[in-house]
């Protein structure tokens, strides 16, 4: 006896429900294989910290995916499971995140005895830049960017709050703003002290000139630019950060395995093959 329509429809529903699970397993398997291959090539422990579904306001902090306490727990566990003599490669793609989580990860990276290298294929803003400063070497794509690490109070830069207080007579400022300004002053001082600790304790003198430390702190923590300001490779080098350019190809391949979730029509599309640069043949013309 043949199957009925309802039997076929039921099988279709089962297959449809299982397909996403199977696809996730396949992608996860490819990720693990790619990470293992990368570790074997470099003789390191690779830690991947990639945040997709980013949503960044023009002057504020990330509103969606960011460095969280859960992230710090997982990264700290990965570092703890890494032997002291095994170098760590941290691959970063993040808009930043919680100061507490970021500082926990940064301190753990500094304490790791073997070399720590941070790879930035696209961007590592805010807390991501702080993690980069905890490394012995920062490797960036030539078009990748870092960002300021000035603290934010909600969606407002701490430095901007202080600017308001400095420009108005205290008699015209309400108590809540004065309290916020006090918090802003403390937040900036705390971040500056932590960044100084990272730079002085982690970077040997041959990699960073001690005279550049104050320049780095001034440029990245005082809010003289907006929080989403892109610090290019050239600017980061000029500040004195130990930047190397030249991203290993396997890292780009890894990034492809952490795609942005699909939301309909792609906004960017191209044929994924190396472009040969050959000119197109001329259009044929009709001659009489």
């Amino acid at each position: 006896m043949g199957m009925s329509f309802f039997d076929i429809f039921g099988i279709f529903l089962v297959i449809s429900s299982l397909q996403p699970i199977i696809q996730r397993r396949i992608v996860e398997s490819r990720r693990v294989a790619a990470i293992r291959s990368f570790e074997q090539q470099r003789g390191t422990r690779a830690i991947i910290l990639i945040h997709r579904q980013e949503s960044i306001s023009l002057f504020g902090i990330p509103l969606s995916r960011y460095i969280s306490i859960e992230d710090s727990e997982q990264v700290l566990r990965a570092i703890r499971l890494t032997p002291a003599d095994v170098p760590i490669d941290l691959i970063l793609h993040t808009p930043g995140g919680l100061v507490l989580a970021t500082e926990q990860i940064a301190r753990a990276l500094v304490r790791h005895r073997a070399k720590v290298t941070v790879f930035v294929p696209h961007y590592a803003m805010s807390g991501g830049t702080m993690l980069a400063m905890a490394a012995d070497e920062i490797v960036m794509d030539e078009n990748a960017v870092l960002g300021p690490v000035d603290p934010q109070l909600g969606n407002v830069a701490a430095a901007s709050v202080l600017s308001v207080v400095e420009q108005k007579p205290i008699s015209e400022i309400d108590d809540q703003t004065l309290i916020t300004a006090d918090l802003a002053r403390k937040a900036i001082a705390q971040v500056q002290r932590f960044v100084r600790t990272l730079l002085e304790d982690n970077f040997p003198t041959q990699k960073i000139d001690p005279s550049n430390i104050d320049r780095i702190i001034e440029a990245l923590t005082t809010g003289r630019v907006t929080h989403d300001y892109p610090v290019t490779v050239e600017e980061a080098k000029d500040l004195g950060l130990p930047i190397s350019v030249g991203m290993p190809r396997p890292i780009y391949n890894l990034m492809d395995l952490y795609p942005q979730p699909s939301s309909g029509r792609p906004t960017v599309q191209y044929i994924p093959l190396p472009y040969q640069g050959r000119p197109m043949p001329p259009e044929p013309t009709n001659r009489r």
Side-chain angles (χ1 to χ4, degrees), residues 4-279:
S4 68
F5 168 79
F6 294 103
D7 292 332
I8 296 174
F9 183 69
I11 293 173
F12 172 77
L13 289 179
V14 171
I15 294 175
S16 299
S17 63
L18 291 177
Q19 185 178 10
I21 299 174
I22 295 172
Q23 288 178 337
R24 283 197 298 270
R25 293 288 178 86
I26 292 173
V27 172
E28 182 60 30
S29 177
R30 292 176 62 193
R31 289 173 180 170
V32 171
I35 292 171
R36 284 177 176 168
S37 175
F38 181 72
E39 290 179 333
Q40 290 171 358
Q41 291 175 22
R42 290 183 49 85
T44 62
R45 154 86 77 177
I47 302 174
I48 317 299
L49 185 57
I50 294 176
H51 293 123
R52 294 293 193 181
Q53 294 177 306
E54 305 92 337
S55 177
I56 308 177
S57 60
L58 181 60
F59 299 109
I61 61 175
L63 302 176
S64 187
R65 297 296 301 275
Y66 54 85
I67 301 171
S68 65
I69 294 298
E70 182 180 357
D71 289 333
S72 68
E73 291 176 356
Q74 293 300 320
V75 175
L76 292 179
R77 183 173 185 273
I79 296 173
R80 190 164 57 248
L81 294 174
T82 305
D85 60 344
V86 174
I88 288 177
D89 289 337
L90 176 62
I91 300 171
L92 275 180
H93 175 80
T94 179
L98 297 179
V99 173
L100 172 60
T102 300
E103 290 196 6
Q104 284 184 302
I105 297 171
R107 291 184 189 278
L109 293 174
V110 169
R111 291 190 177 108
H112 188 69
R113 295 179 184 177
K115 181 180 180 181
V116 175
T117 304
V118 163
F119 293 90
V120 184
H122 183 56
Y123 78 155
M125 305 294 284
S126 190
T129 298
M130 195 174 288
L131 295 183
M133 289 191 288
D136 299 295
E137 182 182 11
I138 307 169
V139 181
M140 298 176 66
D141 179 271
E142 62 181 2
N143 297 308
V145 296
L146 302 176
V149 298
D150 58 306
Q152 309 292 295
L153 303 177
N155 289 326
V156 179
S160 297
V161 177
L162 294 181
S163 177
V164 170
V165 173
E166 292 169 358
Q167 293 179 36
K168 296 181 68 175
I170 192 169
S171 59
E172 298 180 10
I173 303 174
D174 62 273
D175 290 347
Q176 184 58 51
T177 301
L178 291 174
I179 293 172
T180 304
D182 181 59
L183 292 175
R185 193 175 294 107
K186 292 174 181 176
I188 292 174
Q190 288 169 195
V191 168
Q192 289 180 336
R193 184 164 56 249
F194 183 67
V195 171
R196 184 178 295 278
T197 298
L198 290 180
L199 298 176
E200 290 180 346
D201 291 354
N202 194 54
F203 289 153
T205 55
Q206 64 266 26
K207 288 191 176 181
I208 183 170
D209 187 339
S211 64
N212 286 331
I213 291 178
D214 288 336
R215 292 179 61 235
I216 295 171
I217 292 173
E218 171 67 23
L220 298 182
T221 69
T222 58
R224 69 183 191 186
V225 293
T226 60
H227 195 60
D228 61 349
Y229 175 81
V231 178
T232 63
V233 169
E234 293 78 12
E235 188 171 354
K237 283 184 174 181
D238 183 63
L239 287 174
L241 291 173
I243 305 293
S244 299
V245 178
M247 194 64 51
R249 173 55 57 180
I251 290 182
Y252 295 118
N253 298 336
L254 265 171
M255 290 293 295
D256 289 340
L257 296 176
Y258 294 84
Q260 183 84 3
S262 177
S263 58
R265 181 184 63 83
T267 56
V268 177
Q269 195 166 7
Y270 60 93
I271 299 173
L273 293 173
Y275 182 61
Q276 302 300 321
R278 292 191 295 267

